[in-house]
Amino acid sequence: MGTYALKKILYGFAVMAGVILVVFVLFNILPGDPARMTLGQRSDVQSLDAVRKEFGLDRSKPVQFFLYLNDLSPLSIHPNLKENEDKYGYQKLFAIGDDALVIKTPYLRRSYQTKRDVTAILSETVPNTFVLALTAMIFATIIGVFLGVVSAVKQGTWIDNAANSFAILGISAPSFFAGIIIAWLFGFVLADYTGLNMSGSLYSYDPFEGEIITWKNLWLPMITLGLRPLAIIVQLTRSAMLDVLAQDYIRTARAKGLSRNAIIYKHALKNALNPVITAISGWFASLLAGSFFVEYIFGYNGLGRTTVTALEMSDFPVVMGSILFIAFVFVVVNILVDLMYAWVDPRVKLS
């Protein structure tokens, strides 16, 4: 198991290295001067040269890539200065001439527009996106499993046909289209009845209470983001339930006179949830990435809206940091899922 885990971790490092290379190349061939984006259009030549030197933009592209890797790596080389250790929290391992090998948190550089560290910007928005993705996954799981069970039990009836039609619609409709329709219908047309807003973030400012959590602003983006996984869970649950209900032990349970609810929820559903659990583990990371347009449509202050806004303003460090964070989440989740599979089924390690 240890060897298998090590292989998966090394594979994860290889994937992240590839993502870093692609992100660096992509955002270094785009037009625009990062130094001018940082200081503004009316900056003088001396200030521009100072910023280019600070970020290593006056060097060749291979050297810039090495400096970028050095900033991102937790184990990196930096000047052997005590004030750097105090300022950035470096933990020096040993000196290498005038430099030192240090352990540090990955440095995602600074925003061109706000001059703030990208890490600080992401730390303010990622929790909001995490709450949105988690609630969307809970919503999709509860409603999806319920509809899937009902559809399987009522196979061939109008309820089954309605659930299947809903699942097909949920898979086919793009999130940005569904978001626009849901925002217009429930946040504008029916706003007097729903009490919901077309846009709004998780936190709002009250003049008397200060910053407060506004849960009603979570409903519409949560439903929009959860529609596609909900539709897939409906189909997976229905298919798995139909297979389980056709098994011999279910017929035996019926012959023993067990109640219908006991057969469905105690015996059949428990054994039909394996593919659903697999889908949930894979979809959570996807929801973090899929929240980009949903957050932008509903004005929800999360990672997706921050990234899209930064892209519109050519704030490339923020965009690069967001992409790398999402890639890191995908890699970690996939490694954990693979290890879980290997722990449950030892045959996986031999494949």
Side-chain angles (χ1 to χ4, degrees):
M1 186 67 180
T3 304
Y4 180 78
L6 180 61
K7 289 181 179 179
K8 290 298 178 181
I9 293 174
L10 293 177
Y11 173 76
F13 276 114
V15 171
M16 285 302 303
V19 172
I20 291 171
L21 176 62
V22 170
V23 168
F24 178 84
V25 171
L26 178 63
F27 287 96
N28 275 270
I29 64 175
L30 293 176
D33 183 2
R36 194 171 294 279
M37 292 177 186
T38 302
L39 297 177
Q41 297 299 322
R42 299 185 177 220
S43 52
D44 57 86
V45 176
Q46 291 79 7
S47 299
L48 290 174
D49 290 339
V51 171
R52 293 189 183 103
K53 185 175 181 180
E54 178 186 357
F55 287 106
L57 300 174
D58 57 338
R59 305 189 185 186
S60 64
K61 295 299 181 183
V63 174
Q64 289 186 41
F65 181 64
F66 172 78
L67 293 175
Y68 187 57
L69 283 179
N70 195 57
D71 287 339
L72 293 178
S73 175
L75 189 66
S76 55
I77 298 174
H78 281 272
N80 186 15
L81 298 174
K82 290 184 179 180
E83 53 266 26
N84 278 354
E85 296 179 18
D86 295 335
K87 183 177 180 181
Y88 299 109
Y90 296 166
Q91 296 295 323
K92 184 173 69 175
L93 297 180
F94 55 84
I96 308 176
D98 294 334
D99 299 323
L101 185 67
V102 302
I103 296 178
K104 62 174 181 59
T105 56
Y107 176 51
L108 298 175
R109 299 191 172 178
R110 289 183 300 165
S111 165
Y112 292 157
Q113 303 297 330
T114 63
K115 316 299 187 296
R116 298 178 59 204
D117 283 349
V118 174
T119 302
I121 296 174
L122 296 184
S123 65
E124 294 176 355
T125 57
V126 166
N128 294 346
T129 299
F130 181 83
V131 170
L132 175 59
L134 181 61
T135 53
M137 197 70 253
I138 294 174
F139 161 75
T141 302
I142 294 175
I143 304 299
V145 169
F146 174 76
L147 291 179
V149 171
V150 173
S151 179
V153 173
K154 302 290 186 179
Q155 184 184 12
T157 65
W158 69 270
I159 297 178
D160 183 27
N161 294 331
N164 283 326
S165 299
F166 172 78
I168 294 173
L169 181 63
I171 294 174
S172 304
S175 295
F176 65 87
F177 175 75
I180 294 173
I181 298 299
I182 290 174
W184 173 77
L185 182 61
F186 296 101
F188 179 71
V189 176
L190 301 176
D192 293 338
Y193 303 99
T194 63
L196 302 176
N197 303 319
M198 287 188 66
S199 62
S201 189
L202 181 62
Y203 291 92
S204 59
Y205 183 79
D206 184 272
F208 300 102
E209 300 182 19
E211 192 175 54
I212 59 174
I213 298 179
T214 311
W215 290 110
K216 69 176 183 178
N217 291 337
L218 185 64
W219 280 98
L220 296 184
M222 176 195 72
I223 293 173
T224 303
L225 191 61
L227 274 181
R228 179 163 292 186
L230 188 156
I232 293 177
I233 290 174
V234 169
Q235 292 187 329
L236 288 175
T237 305
R238 179 183 182 276
S239 178
M241 281 293 294
L242 290 176
D243 290 339
V244 171
L245 290 174
Q247 299 297 319
D248 292 337
Y249 70 89
I250 297 296
R251 286 193 288 268
T252 302
R254 287 175 180 151
K256 289 182 176 180
L258 294 180
S259 66
R260 186 182 185 185
N261 288 338
I263 293 173
I264 293 173
Y265 295 105
K266 185 176 180 180
H267 296 280
L269 181 59
K270 181 175 66 175
N271 294 317
L273 284 180
N274 287 337
V276 177
I277 295 174
T278 302
I280 292 172
S281 60
W283 265 101
F284 183 71
S286 300
L287 289 182
L288 288 176
S291 65
F292 278 39
F293 291 108
V294 173
E295 290 181 357
Y296 191 75
I297 290 171
F298 290 98
Y300 186 88
N301 186 26
L303 179 63
R305 182 188 177 195
T306 299
T307 305
V308 175
T309 303
L311 190 59
E312 290 178 341
M313 302 174 65
S314 298
D315 199 349
F316 297 146
V318 177
V319 180
M320 295 166 71
S322 299
I323 294 173
L324 293 179
F325 174 78
I326 292 296
F328 177 76
V329 171
F330 265 96
V331 169
V332 171
V333 169
N334 285 331
I335 290 175
L336 293 177
V337 171
D338 288 342
L339 293 179
M340 181 181 68
Y341 287 162
W343 179 67
V344 174
D345 187 357
R347 294 174 299 176
V348 173
K349 297 193 291 289
L350 302 177
S351 59

